[in-house]
């Protein structure tokens, strides 16, 4: 199994630009999570899906952030417009049900200048 | 609201020492508890998963225990090695309310094993 696949690995963009992060969960997994990690705030949940349906998006900072899961094998996290304070590592993770381990992707390091 | 606390925030030990990392949580309504390892600049790697009905899990030199009634878990590392140096995070999977299935993470313990 290829594991959770995230792209791109690194993204550098200018303030105001749109950023799209992508995630392919492990095949068969029905839970998908988006996290953000910074030195100051640690690991923060942004949103999670169950069977492609958003369950809890209370961690999404503001309207500039949006996430979609059009099918079981793909999810996107979009930031529009991006700001320097969005700079962080964004992780995607997936699991099969609630009783199995959560598997993380390698993350996308976002830098907004 | 579930909160997860890890103490200490950082730990430095000499190679070969046995050590214990602590994790506490405020609400016992959990599906399970999972321990992760994170190396600098990397993602999180799952180490052990303990279901709420279990008391402990073992993998190699690692042993994790769970006392759901007291809201505590420990990760025991035997005969520590420099390669064990990393940040260790615990997370509980919520079993109630509108966020059922969500994971709540602690802030981690940064372990340094000196040769």
């Amino acid at each position: 199994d290829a594991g959770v696949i995230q792209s791109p690995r690194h993204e550098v963009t200018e303030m105001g630009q749109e950023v799209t992060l992508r995630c392919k969960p492990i095949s068969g997994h029905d839970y998908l999570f988006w996290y953000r990690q910074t030195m100051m705030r640690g690991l923060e949940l942004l949103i999670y899906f169950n069977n492609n349906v958003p369950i809890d998006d209370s961690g999404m900072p503001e309207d500039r952030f949006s996430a979609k899961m059009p099918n079981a094998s793909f999810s996107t996290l979009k930031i529009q417009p991006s700001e320097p304070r969005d700079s962080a590592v964004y992780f995607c993770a997936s699991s099969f049900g609630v009783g199995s381990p959560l598997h993380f992707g390698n993350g996308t390091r976002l830098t907004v200048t | 609201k579930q909160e997860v606390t890890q103490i200490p925030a950082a730990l430095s030990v000499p190679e070969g020492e046995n050590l214990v990392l602590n994790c506490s949580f405020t609400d016992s309504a959990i599906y399970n508890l999972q321990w992760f390892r994170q190396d600098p600049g990397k993602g999180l790697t799952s180490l052990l998963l303990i279901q709420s009905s279990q008391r402990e899990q073992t993998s190699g030199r690692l042993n994790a225990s769970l006392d759901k009634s007291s809201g505590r878990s420990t990760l025991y590392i035997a005969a520590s090695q420099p390669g064990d140096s990393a940040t260790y995070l615990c997370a509980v999977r919520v079993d109630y309310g509108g966020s059922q299935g969500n994971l709540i993470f602690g802030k981690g313990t940064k372990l340094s094993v000196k040769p």
Side-chain angles (χ1 to χ4, degrees):
Chain A
D1 198 322
V4 177
I5 300 173
Q6 292 187 246
S7 65
R9 288 298 311 276
H10 302 274
E11 177 80 35
V12 180
T13 190
E14 293 183 347
M15 183 173 64
Q17 296 299 305
E18 178 178 295
V19 175
T20 299
L21 310 181
R22 297 172 176 80
C23 175
K24 176 178 169 58
I26 293 173
S27 178
H29 282 191
D30 56 348
Y31 276 87
L32 184 140
F33 296 77
W34 281 101
Y35 290 94
R36 177 171 68 177
Q37 188 176 42
T38 62
M39 289 291 292
M40 291 293 292
R41 296 189 298 271
L43 198 63
E44 302 175 281
L45 175 71
L46 298 175
I47 185 171
Y48 76 99
F49 297 83
N50 180 217
N51 292 318
N52 312 337
V53 176
I55 303 300
D56 185 351
D57 65 354
S58 59
M60 296 286 263
E62 50 202 82
D63 291 346
R64 298 185 298 107
F65 285 66
S66 63
K68 294 182 180 179
M69 193 165 185
N71 56 63
S73 59
F74 184 65
S75 178
T76 60
L77 178 68
K78 187 173 294 186
I79 307 173
Q80 166 63 22
S82 57
E83 297 182 1
R85 61 188 167 128
D86 301 330
S87 297
V89 180
Y90 290 80
F91 288 106
C92 177
S94 71
S95 74
F96 176 67
V98 296
S100 69
L102 189 66
H103 296 268
F104 277 77
N106 288 324
T108 295
R109 181 174 295 277
L110 173 65
T111 302
V112 183
T113 60
Chain B
K1 179 185 174 184
Q2 180 73 269
E3 293 182 1
V4 180
T5 303
Q6 291 187 248
I7 295 173
L11 181 64
S12 181
V13 300
E15 181 177 4
E17 193 163 295
N18 301 326
L19 58 99
V20 174
L21 306 181
N22 296 293
C23 173
S24 62
F25 49 96
T26 55
D27 193 317
S28 61
I30 63 170
Y31 284 112
N32 49 56
L33 183 144
Q34 194 169 354
W35 282 94
F36 295 87
R37 168 186 174 139
Q38 186 175 29
D39 294 285
K42 304 289 186 182
L44 280 72
T45 301
S46 178
L47 297 173
L48 289 164
L49 173 73
I50 311 177
Q51 304 294 348
S52 62
S53 59
Q54 297 175 324
R55 298 286 292 182
E56 64 178 323
Q57 283 286 332
T58 298
S59 176
R61 294 182 294 110
L62 305 180
N63 176 278
S65 69
L66 174 64
D67 185 341
K68 201 172 77 162
S69 60
S70 68
R72 295 181 180 180
S73 176
T74 61
L75 179 66
Y76 174 84
I77 303 177
S80 59
Q81 304 170 357
D84 295 330
S85 299
T87 296
Y88 292 79
L89 297 97
C90 71
V92 296
R93 195 131 199 188
V94 173
D95 181 15
Y96 63 87
S99 292
Q100 195 172 30
N102 187 16
L103 280 92
I104 308 296
F105 279 84
K107 294 192 181 302
T109 293
K110 186 174 182 179
L111 174 66
S112 177
V113 181
K114 306 294 187 184

